[in-house]
Every structure is written in structure tokens, then in C-alpha cells.
């Protein structure tokens, strides 16, 4: 593999920064001195084999796992903050498995995403924005979330994350279990959120080509460390990189 990918791209550093971050579960360290940058307004794909530390990286951002090192958003440290405080700073997490509450209705899920302290007018405006963005959810607003199709549940997970108007979204395997047509719709939605609203995206996706088609830049993890990073298009075209780290 060419060493040209082992570098840091140059952008404004007002986004997400991880420096010498280690994280793990109990005594097991998954991330080991991770350095990662997600410039504001960009889409960065986080790639690697199973067990590379991708999901743990997202959990570290939201302090849902034991974390040491420096981790900042817009220059402000996130380390040690309760997850709710991090969400209040404009960061949203769409976890693997979507995380919707299946016994609640579509609308109730979105109201939970808005938070208990949000002013009523703000919540109503956010609801209307999601109904407009996802018309199928509007038609099913009183339907239990667990009865939705897989694609509709992924739309609901995105809509719920958008209820507070985030500046940054971390997404863990948003295409998982979806039909190809639905995957294309989800990726189009993410591209629109970035292009139209300037939302910064950190995307974990098992399908490397899918992620690299969407992203501006990409980072490859192996055993909790960065082994390659660079422009997404160049990384997509590097067959040696795929063979070495991405299984193809």
C-alpha cells in the first residue's frame, strides 16, 4: 500500500478532534492512543474490519465508554461530560440497530429526541421539519415504531437525531439490514443533510465502497489505531489498501 495515505488532510480544525484517545471496556483497551480529526462541515468515513474499534470510537465521542486522552468538539472538551450534555452541545448519535423504542409511536420517539426542556414551539417546528423530510413517517406518526419496515425505522432514527438541530452526527452502520434501494435513499438523505445544512458526519459503515462514495475523507482503523487516512476517492481507488485492511 502506498504510504501517501498515512497523513492528515488540511482543513479548519473547528470540528471533532481526538488526540491520544484510549478507550475500552473494563480492563480491555480497544482504542490505543487514537488520533482522529473530523473537520466541521465534512463527511468522514471510519472504516476497518470487525473489532477494529469503529463503534468504540463513536461511543467514546459520547462518553458511553471509559475514555482517556483529549476529545474536543469546536475546541471544547467532551471528556467526562454526561452524554446528555454532549447532545446539548449539538452532537447526535444514530447507533447500530437504530435504537428506536418499538413500543412507542413514531411521534413519541421524535418527542423523546427533542428533549424534555425544549420549548413547545421549537419542538413543533422540529416535528414539522421531519414530517416534510420523511413523508412516510408523517403518514405513520401514530403507528408503533416496532411495526415499521427496516427502512422506515432507519428514517425514524435519523429524524429523532435531527430533532435538536445537531451540528454533528455519528452514524453506526446506517445501511445494516436494508434493501439496496433503501440504502440509496438513506445515503442520499445523509448527503443532503451535509450539503444543505452543513452537518458534519462521522460514518461507520461495513461497506467500504458505499462509505467512500459518500465521504469526503476516510480513516481506516486496525486494532484501535489509525493505519491509513486520506481523500475518500483516492482511497476507494487504492486496491492495495482494500486488500490490506478492507477485505477486498
Amino acid at each position: 500500500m502506498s504510504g501517501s495515505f498515512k497523513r492528515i488532510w488540511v482543513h479548519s480544525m473547528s470540528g471533532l478532534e481526538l488526540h491520544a484517545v484510549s478507550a475500552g471496556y473494563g480492563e480491555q483497551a480497544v482504542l490505543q492512543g487514537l488520533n482522529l480529526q473530523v473537520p466541521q462541515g465534512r463527511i468522514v468515513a471510519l472504516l476497518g474490519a470487525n473489532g477494529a474499534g469503529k463503534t468504540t470510537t463513536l461511543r467514546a465521542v459520547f462518553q458511553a465508554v471509559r475514555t482517556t486522552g483529549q476529545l474536543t468538539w469546536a475546541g471544547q472538551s467532551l471528556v467526562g461530560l454526561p452524554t446528555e450534555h454532549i447532545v446539548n452541545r449539538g452532537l447526535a448519535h444514530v447507533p447500530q440497530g437504530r435504537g428506536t423504542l418499538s413500543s412507542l409511536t413514531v411521534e413519541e420517539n421524535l418527542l423523546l429526541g427533542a428533549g424534555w426542556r425544549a420549548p413547545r414551539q421549537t419542538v413543533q417546528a422540529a416535528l414539522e421539519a421531519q414530517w416534510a423530510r420523511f413523508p412516510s413517517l408523517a403518514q405513520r406518526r401514530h403507528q408503533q415504531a416496532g411495526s415499521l419496515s427496516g427502512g422506515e425505522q432507519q428514517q425514524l432514527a435519523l429524524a429523532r437525531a435531527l430533532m435538536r438541530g445537531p451540528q454533528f452526527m455519528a452514524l453506526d452502520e446506517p445501511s445494516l439490514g436494508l434493501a439496496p434501494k433503501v440504502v440509496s435513499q438513506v445515503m442520499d438523505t445523509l448527503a443532503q443533510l451535509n450539503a444543505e445544512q452543513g452537518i458534519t458526519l462521522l460514518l461507520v459503515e461495513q461497506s467500504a465502497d458505499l462509505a467512500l462514495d459518500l465521504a469526503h475523507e476516510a480513516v481506516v482503523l486496525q486494532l484501535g489505531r489509525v493505519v491509513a487516512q486520506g481523500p475518500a476517492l483516492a482511497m476507494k481507488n487504492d486496491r492495495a489498501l482494500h486488500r490490506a485492511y478492507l477485505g477486498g
Side-chain angles (χ1 to χ4, degrees), residues 1-11 13 35-37 39 44 216-220 226-235 238 241:
M1 182 190 68
S2 169
S4 64
F5 290 119
K6 188 65 176 178
R7 67 178 187 272
I8 296 174
W9 50 83
V10 178
H11 286 294
M13 296 317 304
N35 297 311
L36 174 66
Q37 302 165 350
V44 174
H216 301 112
E217 288 95 22
V219 175
V220 180
V226 174
V227 293
Q229 60 188 37
L233 180 59
M235 295 184 77
D238 191 299
L241 176 80

Side-chain angles (χ1 to χ4, degrees), residues 18-26 31 34 56-72 78-81 86:
L18 287 75
H19 178 67
V21 167
S22 295
Y25 309 90
L31 305 182
L34 180 66
T56 300
T57 300
L58 301 193
R59 290 176 178 169
V61 172
F62 290 87
Q63 295 296 278
V65 64
R66 175 178 53 82
T67 308
T68 61
Q70 299 177 31
L71 200 165
T72 63
L78 303 179
V79 176
L81 292 180
I86 295 173

